[in-house]
Amino acid sequence: MVKLLLNCLDYNTTIQSLENILKVNTDRISEFLDQCRFKVTVEGPFRSFERIEMHEIKEFFNIDQFDFNEVVVHHVAAIINKESYYRNGILNLENLATTDNSFSEFLAQYDISLKINPSGTIYIMKDGKEIGSEYTAYRFSKDQCINGFLLGESALIDTNVKYIRRCPELISHIGRVIIRNSEIERNWTERAIPSLISFRVPIEQIDATTFHGELEYHEKQEFFIIKALEYLLLKQTDYGIENPMIFLKEKATVPPENIISIDELYNKNTM
């Protein structure tokens, strides 16, 4: 049995995914969007948007439940070795500290490494001494989750990821703040390719923060269906899209077989 997934890389892939999940053709989806156009108002500087309701979707498409169990997440990264991702997948901080990967190999050039103490706490070593900051203490204890966008288009327009298109936040912080060596960030930026990594993730591995609270499994499916249809509607009406984030559960990793594609975002000389 073929597993259905929702992939909102762009307008066309979103349409294709919804065709399979809703079991309809493109024309039927277009009819629904046409009926929803009244929800969007764009008059000069005045803009308003009324949310699509789940009962509207179920009634129009005559469907009670949605038969898909995976969502494609679009993750922004400045990568220096694409093959490392195809070999190791996307690693959480704990795995970065315990496996051979392009991240740890890069830090090793500066005699810097991530370690894990007997209690499971991650810390940084340089020249035989432990180093760190309030930021790294927080990252290592409370912010280890992998995240990305539901919409591939968000990777190009969301200002929150402007700097990580150039260099991982942790690499930049170690260089600029902790050891005050700008060469580290500069070296990574010069070697890296700003990339969009698209990967499959089972819905049950997505953290509740994505949905702003705990939801039942079917409610999570409905959340994503609404977001996908609203994306299409906002694109059609030139309203301006939203950039919904997806957060994986703490310490989850992405196996290499779940990576669908790694594509260059743009020429970094244009940043």
Side-chain angles (χ1 to χ4, degrees):
M1 180 178 177
V2 177
K3 289 185 177 181
L4 296 179
L5 76 164
L6 179 65
N7 184 359
C8 299
L9 174 63
D10 56 31
Y11 190 93
N12 290 333
T13 59
T14 304
I15 287 284
Q16 292 166 6
S17 290
L18 288 172
E19 284 181 330
N20 293 327
I21 294 169
L22 300 174
K23 300 178 175 60
V24 297
N25 58 29
T26 302
D27 290 342
R28 189 61 175 161
I29 295 173
S30 296
E31 289 174 18
F32 176 77
L33 296 174
D34 286 342
Q35 288 193 14
C36 291
R37 292 181 75 89
F38 76 93
K39 293 177 176 290
V40 181
T41 301
V42 179
E43 296 178 354
F46 177 77
R47 292 168 179 257
S48 66
F49 171 48
E50 179 185 336
R51 296 287 175 184
I52 295 174
E53 299 288 341
M54 179 47 59
H55 72 86
E56 297 174 308
I57 298 170
K58 289 184 174 181
E59 290 171 7
F60 185 89
F61 293 106
N62 190 27
I63 190 170
D64 290 323
Q65 58 186 14
F66 305 100
D67 186 22
F68 73 104
N69 49 27
E70 291 184 324
V71 175
V72 178
V73 179
H74 306 287
H75 175 79
V76 177
I79 65 177
I80 57 177
N81 184 351
K82 183 186 293 188
E83 293 308 312
S84 179
Y85 284 88
Y86 284 127
R87 183 174 63 251
N88 300 311
I90 302 177
L91 304 174
N92 60 27
L93 289 173
E94 186 174 300
N95 291 120
L96 285 176
T98 57
T99 63
D100 293 328
N101 54 78
S102 57
F103 188 92
S104 59
E105 290 168 359
F106 177 84
L107 287 178
Q109 299 175 66
Y110 301 93
D111 198 23
I112 300 172
S113 59
L114 300 185
K115 301 289 186 181
I116 301 179
N117 66 23
S119 66
T121 301
I122 304 170
Y123 61 98
I124 307 171
M125 292 289 291
K126 176 171 173 54
D127 299 328
K129 296 180 181 180
E130 183 175 344
I131 60 174
S133 67
E134 290 184 4
Y135 165 81
T136 57
Y138 177 80
R139 279 294 306 272
F140 296 157
S141 63
K142 299 182 182 298
D143 185 18
Q144 296 189 40
C145 71
I146 296 168
N147 59 64
F149 293 104
L150 172 63
L151 311 177
E153 189 173 334
S154 300
L156 290 172
I157 63 176
D158 193 296
T159 57
N160 292 321
V161 295
K162 177 180 179 180
Y163 295 104
I164 62 174
R165 297 184 196 123
R166 297 168 51 89
C167 180
E169 194 172 19
L170 184 56
I171 293 282
S172 176
H173 182 82
I174 291 172
R176 290 186 299 103
V177 178
I178 298 178
I179 66 173
R180 299 185 183 280
N181 180 352
S182 61
E183 178 190 343
I184 293 178
E185 181 177 4
R186 183 171 61 252
N187 189 10
W188 186 288
T189 302
E190 289 175 350
R191 295 171 57 187
I193 298 175
S195 301
L196 185 67
I197 307 173
S198 300
F199 61 88
R200 304 181 348 256
V201 61
I203 291 175
E204 61 267 20
Q205 290 184 13
I206 297 175
D207 191 77
T209 52
T210 300
F211 313 103
H212 310 293
E214 294 290 345
L215 295 179
E216 297 294 329
Y217 188 85
H218 75 278
E219 293 174 319
K220 296 176 183 179
Q221 292 174 307
E222 292 173 357
F223 172 90
F224 288 122
I225 292 296
I226 290 173
K227 291 296 183 184
L229 285 167
E230 287 181 342
Y231 163 62
L232 297 177
L233 178 62
L234 295 177
K235 286 290 288 183
Q236 283 192 359
T237 55
D238 294 323
Y239 181 87
I241 68 167
E242 298 177 321
N243 302 311
M245 294 285 295
I246 297 177
F247 300 90
L248 274 60
K249 291 184 176 179
E250 201 76 6
K251 297 189 178 182
T253 61
V254 178
E257 60 269 22
N258 280 17
I259 293 178
I260 296 173
S261 62
I262 302 177
D263 297 308
E264 185 173 351
L265 278 174
Y266 43 72
N267 188 319
K268 60 186 177 183
N269 292 329
T270 67
M271 290 189 298

